[in-house]
Amino acid sequence: MRFIPLLAVAASLAITPIAGHATSLHTHWEQYKAGRAFRHLSADGQKALGDILKAHDLLSAGNTDAAIPALYDANKRLVAAGNASKKFNAAESALQPAPQHAPAAGHVAGAAPDVWIPVGGEFIASETLAPEKKAAIATANKQLQSGDTQQAAQSMQVVGEDVDFIVALAPLAQTQGALNRATVFTEGRQTKDALDALDQALNGLVFVSQDFVETSIPSTKSAPKAK
């Protein structure tokens, strides 16, 4: 299975007095490359991806009954994401995959238009970063996977510089189809088939650069607050 993307937002913070910390966080968040890209992410899409990952983990552990509510939630949130503004229409062949997560060998991008939902992202640490900065980015990515954006911002303080950021796009119709199949298989206690369907949903993600996202997806004036 391809690398599973993480929910993503970051801030590069200077050392400031505690009283000014919130303002500093917001200011740097707005300026940071990943912070700008985060404004394009779909809140419902991010939650749907988290539900899919949760269901996958539960099914892998043999907890079939517990996976069903997560699959239902993912379905509802994908519908909501499809009705919101954080999306765009394009053929997969028109996307510009990020080299860090290129499509699998032999994959042929579809030429038919589809609706794409920005469901997550990932910080990419360069080889030249110091070990402690690489560790901070790894920690931030783990925190983002659980949706803890404020803690991720804290972890990124030690990085102190922009890092590459890539965004995961989910093809709406394809993802919904795979999720529906996974739900049917899970309810029928066909765990292997359900996992295969979720893998298809995750493998359908296309990773693109932050620059591509900024020119393709509607933005808002400010980054969403962590919940």
Side-chain angles (χ1 to χ4, degrees):
M1 185 172 66
R2 278 173 48 184
F3 180 84
I4 295 174
L6 310 173
L7 306 183
V9 66
S12 174
L13 303 175
I15 298 176
T16 56
I18 294 176
H21 180 74
T23 300
S24 175
L25 173 61
H26 177 76
T27 300
H28 286 277
W29 194 349
E30 288 292 308
Q31 296 173 351
Y32 201 76
K33 182 198 298 183
R36 298 197 308 270
F38 186 77
R39 298 199 300 271
H40 302 275
L41 298 182
S42 163
D44 286 307
Q46 294 174 72
K47 292 176 182 177
L49 179 60
D51 292 330
I52 291 172
L53 296 174
K54 178 180 179 180
H56 194 285
D57 288 344
L58 289 169
L59 287 168
S60 296
N63 297 325
T64 304
D65 289 339
I68 293 176
L71 293 171
Y72 285 170
D73 287 342
N75 269 299
K76 289 186 293 185
R77 285 165 171 164
L78 276 179
V79 170
N83 291 330
S85 62
K86 301 295 182 66
K87 61 185 178 185
F88 70 103
N89 288 279
E92 183 182 353
S93 56
L95 303 181
Q96 302 168 18
Q100 296 92 339
H101 286 295
H107 174 74
V108 178
D114 203 347
V115 174
W116 295 86
I117 308 293
V119 297
E122 177 194 358
F123 297 119
I124 303 296
S126 70
E127 292 299 324
T128 59
L129 284 178
E132 64 272 17
K133 293 186 177 182
K134 290 181 180 179
I137 290 174
T139 298
N141 276 334
K142 290 180 181 178
Q143 291 163 336
L144 293 171
Q145 187 174 19
S146 62
D148 195 342
T149 57
Q150 294 294 341
Q151 286 299 316
Q154 294 286 342
S155 297
M156 290 299 291
Q157 289 187 55
V158 302
V159 179
E161 59 188 280
D162 239 351
V163 296
D164 286 337
F165 177 74
I166 56 178
V167 176
L169 304 177
L172 182 59
Q174 177 182 324
T175 305
Q176 287 178 317
L179 190 54
N180 288 335
R181 292 193 299 276
T183 303
V184 171
F185 288 135
T186 300
E187 291 176 334
R189 304 302 188 268
Q190 297 173 270
T191 302
K192 181 182 182 302
D193 290 333
L195 283 169
D196 287 345
L198 291 181
D199 284 342
Q200 289 170 14
L202 295 170
N203 290 339
L205 297 172
V206 176
F207 294 81
V208 298
S209 70
Q210 174 259 343
D211 291 335
F212 180 86
V213 168
E214 287 199 342
T215 59
S216 302
I217 306 174
S219 64
T220 58
K221 293 182 180 180
S222 61
K225 296 179 180 179
K227 295 182 179 180

